[in-house]
Amino acid sequence: MEYIAAMQDMSIEQLIAVIEVLQRSSDAYFYIMDLNTDTYITTRKMLTRFPFESTVTEHVKPHLKQIVYPNDFPKLEADIRRCISGEQTMHSLEYRWFDLEHRVVWIECKGTVIIGKDGHRLLFGRVMELGREAKADNITGLRREVRFQYDAEEILRDRPQTLNYMMRIGIDNFKEINEKEGVEAGDNVLRELADCILATVDPKVDVYRLMSDEFMIMDAMPECGKEARTVYNEIRARVAASVREKEYSCFYTISAGVMQDGFEGKNADTVQSLTEFALNEAKRRGKNQMALFDKEAYDEYLKRLDIRKLMRRDINDNFKDFEVFYQPIVSAPDYRLIGAEALLRWKCEKYGSVSPGVFIPILEESGLIIPVGRFVLWQAARTCKKWREIIPDFHINVNLSYVQIYKSDLLVDVDKCIEEVGIPPESLMLELTESGYIETDERTKELFRELKQKNFDLALDDFGTGYSNMRYLQEIEAATVKIDRSFVAQALNNDNDYNIITHIIDMVHSLGSSVCMEGIEKEEELDRMMQAKPDMIQGYYFGKPSPADRFEEQFLQSEKLR
Ligand code: C2E
Ligand code: MG
Ligand code: MG
């Protein structure tokens, strides 16, 4: 009580000096609230985290109403009222505030009422962020992400030039360890890795445990001088040794994403996402390695995200800027136009025409290939109906993505499509990319069987690029095998490859399927490849992919394309 009495003799200026000094050594935010005048005095640090405009706020109540989460305000008001009336001399409340970014933050506010020099009742106290309480991790004994966020923010603001590197380390197959070996084994691995990291870095270097299986090393000690690559290699060697020592009872490897420069002007959130990107790169390249943050790759990644956003917008705008092109397919050896392949195109103002090699994978990753695939299917079916009036047995090939096979009800879609448009199933040939189907499970085999029963023809696309596999070919009983143009190009340059293609074509024929050769560009290529006896040809020599109206003008009227 005598301390409180001593404080009562202090002027308000002296009290402000006290809270500013206390603030230097605490993560809490100190304040004094004059309950008589409704004036709120706080520290400069409070202003960097919560939306107070100045360290002194007169008539604070309306202002607090904006900072405090609306549902919690009545509770606060009632508690303060009890302090004003003298009913209580302590204030203690857990409730929510909004921070500067208007994110909800749980806080614990405590305070003691003292009578100031001028007889005013002053509430003298501090605000703690509850999230920051959980600063240390009980498993590894390291500090946690909130603490990293806090420390990094400070260093990035005050002395970014002292940062040697930030290294985000992840365990490559942590989920698997937890699932197969149990959570306890997972915890042991985390502890072990923490020890390996601490044994490697200088004691002055900060190490944190981030969420799940990730760690962060922040070296802002220029004199320590160990390079990121050396640090990573040493940690990795320690991990390998400890796995060996424990007789491989729990095997794991680690990857790392590292940022070494470019810290100026960045905040902790940004650095978090950039190191996360680098770590993902390391994992994508095959794990058990370290990747340096690569600005170019990151920009590429951002561009892909942007393209995804733009495509989604176009899809919702009735597939605006998506268009289906058609490339002629001719029969051999009479070079009669018998069909076309539907090839999707997309363009936008910002990036112009984007290649399908770029945008198709983006559509696949995001699942957007499902609506877009339907769009292509319906467009192709309608076009085919029109062109069959001129060439009665004309068919259009439609590419199917593995995502459509696995994640949509393809059978229902194709059935509905031919029924609505009014064409027989054999007018569509469904192209499957070989590499996407290597792991055929019973469900996909059943799907292919049903498609065939319904008289849809299947084509195996891109043959010769991946794991060209005859057994697989037999399994899906494709009506047609499309030999990829890269394989054709090889065969044109190399007699061995040419012989292989000839044999493949013989084998495909012996299985009762036909062969379409892709990518024939020149007359001499055609003459050479014709000796291998393909059944169909598709390539720039006969025509490039073009919009439907141009295709009609260029190709549909002529009976033979050579
Ligand atoms: P793909 O199905 O193997 O299609 C053949 C590709 O080879 C097309 O490229 C075509 O323009 C190109 N091509 C044909 N003949 C020649 C030639 O003589 N020389 C050269 N240099 N190229 C030739 P495109 O249109 O860029 O499409 C690339 C890939 O994108 C396609 O390969 C296909 O896998 C995918 N794709 C295109 N449209 C769709 C679609 O609607 N759905 C799905 N899932 N994938 C599609
Ligand atoms: Mg194709
Ligand atoms: Mg192909």
Side-chain angles (χ1 to χ4, degrees), residues 209-277:
R209 157 122 192 255
L210 307 182
M211 78 301 182
S212 82
D213 62 305
E214 292 182 6
F215 294 79
M216 181 72 94
I217 309 176
M218 178 164 69
D219 182 344
M221 297 286 154
E223 70 276 14
C224 290
K226 250 193 211 173
E227 264 194 68
R229 169 92 39 203
T230 317
V231 169
Y232 172 73
N233 287 341
E234 275 183 43
I235 297 172
R236 196 171 65 160
R238 282 202 161 87
V239 165
S242 117
V243 167
R244 249 192 331 266
E245 220 169 81
K246 301 214 163 67
E247 294 174 334
Y248 301 94
S249 60
C250 191
F251 181 81
Y252 69 99
T253 53
I254 55 161
S255 297
V258 172
M259 214 179 140
Q260 279 181 318
D261 42 37
F263 292 107
E264 278 81 4
K266 299 207 167 53
N267 63 21
D269 282 341
T270 310
V271 168
Q272 286 258 35
S273 18
L274 301 190
T275 51
E276 198 178 342
F277 175 77

Side-chain angles (χ1 to χ4, degrees), residues 54-311:
S54 142
T55 52
V56 180
T57 313
E58 289 172 0
H59 309 297
V60 75
K61 188 172 159 187
H63 196 74
L64 275 180
K65 228 174 172 165
Q66 287 174 8
I67 294 178
V68 175
Y69 191 73
N71 290 358
D72 296 348
F73 193 76
K75 179 160 84 165
L76 170 69
E77 208 181 13
D79 203 79
I80 297 284
R81 216 177 292 125
R82 283 193 289 275
C83 293
I84 295 174
S85 69
E87 209 178 310
Q88 67 185 34
T89 55
M90 295 290 290
H91 162 70
S92 174
L93 211 57
E94 278 181 16
Y95 64 109
R96 286 162 288 185
W97 276 14
F98 291 112
D99 70 3
L100 277 173
E101 266 102 51
H102 210 68
R103 283 183 300 222
V104 176
V105 178
W106 273 99
I107 57 132
E108 178 201 66
C109 183
K110 289 194 173 199
T112 308
V113 179
I114 59 175
I115 309 294
K117 218 175 177 181
D118 48 8
H120 286 191
R121 298 176 80 80
L122 304 177
L123 182 62
F124 189 94
R126 58 100 175 123
V127 169
M128 272 297 282
E129 282 182 55
L130 283 175
R132 289 229 169 113
E133 291 280 281
K135 268 186 295 210
D137 169 37
N138 287 338
I139 296 173
T140 60
L142 293 175
R143 283 163 292 179
R144 297 244 299 235
E145 183 151 357
V146 274
R147 185 71 222 193
F148 166 72
Q149 198 70 20
Y150 185 81
D151 292 351
E153 206 64 72
E154 208 162 271
I155 292 179
L156 287 165
R157 189 185 55 228
D158 300 340
R159 50 182 182 100
Q161 69 287 353
T162 60
L163 278 161
N164 275 342
Y165 65 84
M166 289 206 201
M167 182 186 297
R168 195 184 190 95
I169 296 183
I171 300 170
D172 288 330
N173 45 351
F174 190 64
K175 209 167 141 246
E176 218 172 280
I177 297 175
N178 269 337
E179 278 167 11
K180 289 195 182 143
E181 317 279 343
V183 179
E184 211 166 297
D187 286 354
N188 280 336
V189 166
L190 288 171
R191 251 187 297 267
E192 231 171 76
L193 175 54
D195 290 345
C196 294
I197 295 174
L198 291 174
T200 306
V201 300
D202 189 282
K204 280 193 254 145
V205 170
D206 294 311
V207 181
Y208 306 85
R209 157 122 192 255
L210 307 182
M211 78 301 182
S212 82
D213 62 305
E214 292 182 6
F215 294 79
M216 181 72 94
I217 309 176
M218 178 164 69
D219 182 344
M221 297 286 154
E223 70 276 14
C224 290
K226 250 193 211 173
E227 264 194 68
R229 169 92 39 203
T230 317
V231 169
Y232 172 73
N233 287 341
E234 275 183 43
I235 297 172
R236 196 171 65 160
R238 282 202 161 87
V239 165
S242 117
V243 167
R244 249 192 331 266
E245 220 169 81
K246 301 214 163 67
E247 294 174 334
Y248 301 94
S249 60
C250 191
F251 181 81
Y252 69 99
T253 53
I254 55 161
S255 297
V258 172
M259 214 179 140
Q260 279 181 318
D261 42 37
F263 292 107
E264 278 81 4
K266 299 207 167 53
N267 63 21
D269 282 341
T270 310
V271 168
Q272 286 258 35
S273 18
L274 301 190
T275 51
E276 198 178 342
F277 175 77
L279 175 58
N280 286 339
E281 273 297 293
K283 292 193 177 185
R284 204 183 50 79
R285 287 181 204 157
K287 303 179 177 171
N288 193 23
Q289 57 190 288
M290 176 189 124
L292 284 178
F293 173 73
D294 175 353
K295 172 113 181 25
E296 240 169 71
Y298 186 65
D299 288 344
E300 193 57 38
Y301 161 79
L302 292 182
K303 182 176 163 188
R304 288 165 65 86
L305 286 187
D306 197 29
I307 288 180
R308 184 167 85 188
K309 197 178 82 194
L310 293 169
M311 286 199 293

Side-chain angles (χ1 to χ4, degrees), residues 8 12 48 53 77 169 185 195 234 260 277 283 305 327 349 363 407 429 432 453 461 508 516 545 557 559:
Q8 287 172 352
I12 197 75
T48 66
E53 271 152 28
E77 208 181 13
I169 296 183
D195 290 345
E234 275 183 43
Q260 279 181 318
F277 175 77
K283 292 193 177 185
L305 286 187
Q327 185 180 26
E349 242 169 57
L363 289 173
K407 297 192 179 157
M429 180 175 273
L432 317 166
Q453 265 168 19
D461 203 358
V508 173
C516 176
Q557 310 306 336
E559 224 163 69

Side-chain angles (χ1 to χ4, degrees), residues 229-463:
R229 169 92 39 203
T230 317
V231 169
Y232 172 73
N233 287 341
E234 275 183 43
I235 297 172
R236 196 171 65 160
R238 282 202 161 87
V239 165
S242 117
V243 167
R244 249 192 331 266
E245 220 169 81
K246 301 214 163 67
E247 294 174 334
Y248 301 94
S249 60
C250 191
F251 181 81
Y252 69 99
T253 53
I254 55 161
S255 297
V258 172
M259 214 179 140
Q260 279 181 318
D261 42 37
F263 292 107
E264 278 81 4
K266 299 207 167 53
N267 63 21
D269 282 341
T270 310
V271 168
Q272 286 258 35
S273 18
L274 301 190
T275 51
E276 198 178 342
F277 175 77
L279 175 58
N280 286 339
E281 273 297 293
K283 292 193 177 185
R284 204 183 50 79
R285 287 181 204 157
K287 303 179 177 171
N288 193 23
Q289 57 190 288
M290 176 189 124
L292 284 178
F293 173 73
D294 175 353
K295 172 113 181 25
E296 240 169 71
Y298 186 65
D299 288 344
E300 193 57 38
Y301 161 79
L302 292 182
K303 182 176 163 188
R304 288 165 65 86
L305 286 187
D306 197 29
I307 288 180
R308 184 167 85 188
K309 197 178 82 194
L310 293 169
M311 286 199 293
R312 182 173 285 132
R313 192 196 59 193
D314 282 355
I315 290 167
N316 289 320
D317 193 359
N318 207 13
F319 300 95
K320 178 177 158 278
D321 291 336
F322 282 96
E323 193 179 356
V324 180
F325 276 31
Y326 299 90
Q327 185 180 26
I329 297 174
V330 301
S331 61
D334 58 1
Y335 308 126
R336 202 170 61 86
L337 178 67
I338 55 164
E341 178 170 6
L343 292 160
L344 185 62
R345 295 291 178 263
W346 179 73
K347 62 177 186 325
C348 68
E349 242 169 57
K350 193 163 171 188
Y351 301 108
S353 291
V354 179
S355 143
V358 172
F359 74 76
I360 297 278
I362 300 176
L363 289 173
E364 289 180 334
E365 278 157 27
S366 57
L368 290 171
I369 193 72
I370 292 173
V372 174
R374 269 187 209 118
F375 164 79
V376 175
L377 189 64
W378 256 261
Q379 292 279 318
R382 286 197 200 100
T383 307
C384 195
K385 179 173 181 162
K386 196 170 161 207
W387 292 351
R388 278 171 86 93
E389 286 168 15
I390 301 164
I391 303 177
D393 59 352
F394 196 85
H395 67 266
I396 290 187
N397 291 21
V398 176
N399 290 286
L400 291 181
S401 155
Y402 68 96
V403 179
Q404 288 168 279
I405 307 255
Y406 290 130
K407 297 192 179 157
S408 74
D409 209 340
L410 196 68
L411 207 57
V412 172
D413 279 345
V414 287
D415 263 344
K416 198 166 150 214
C417 175
I418 57 163
E419 201 194 305
E420 271 183 28
V421 176
I423 47 169
E426 58 273 17
S427 21
L428 294 181
M429 180 175 273
L430 306 175
E431 293 196 6
L432 317 166
T433 298
E434 185 196 25
S435 55
Y437 302 95
I438 279 302
E439 283 171 45
T440 33
D441 52 20
E442 265 317 305
R443 223 194 89 215
T444 42
K445 276 190 216 158
E446 179 62 30
L447 173 74
F448 296 158
R449 262 196 297 273
E450 285 186 59
L451 284 170
K452 266 185 308 233
Q453 265 168 19
K454 288 178 187 273
N455 271 340
F456 290 100
D457 278 334
L458 300 182
L460 189 58
D461 203 358
D462 302 335
F463 196 82

